[in-house]
Amino acid sequence: MDNNANNYYNNHKETYYSQNALPGTSLRIPGRHVADDGTVRDGDGYICVAANSSYMSKGTVVKTSLGPAKVYDSGCASGTIDIYTNW
């Protein structure tokens, strides 16, 4: 579930989505792990995020307030990026 916290950064709205609300295998991301800061990352160290597919396609690399991220999922409102966390 979205914890309703949000931030505006780099011309987009950031929201945080806990992986605890996702089934463990819902996002098959190579090297998926939880980093020391509590963000969910891929094997290359990118923060895993979701974005509306008309706003950013899967595979897009984007700068977030927490560091570089890669889009792995869709389903957000346009202009919003969901940052996956373990919070």
Side-chain angles (χ1 to χ4, degrees):
M1 72 180 55
D2 185 345
N3 69 8
N4 295 318
N6 57 61
N7 182 45
Y8 291 87
Y9 184 82
N10 196 28
N11 297 316
H12 59 257
K13 179 180 176 181
E14 294 179 347
T15 56
Y16 306 102
Y17 194 94
S18 175
Q19 75 168 357
N20 297 320
L22 298 171
T25 59
S26 66
L27 293 177
R28 297 190 196 303
I29 297 169
R32 180 178 174 175
H33 65 282
V34 176
D36 291 342
D37 64 0
T39 57
V40 175
R41 299 190 181 235
D42 67 11
D44 293 324
Y46 287 106
I47 299 168
C48 302
V49 300
N52 183 288
S53 59
S54 65
Y55 179 60
M56 287 184 191
S57 59
K58 289 181 182 178
T60 300
V61 173
V62 60
K63 186 175 180 182
T64 73
S65 62
L66 299 175
K70 188 180 285 187
V71 177
Y72 278 97
D73 200 8
S74 59
C76 303
S78 187
T80 299
I81 294 174
D82 268 348
I83 298 173
Y84 290 118
T85 69
N86 196 46
W87 308 330

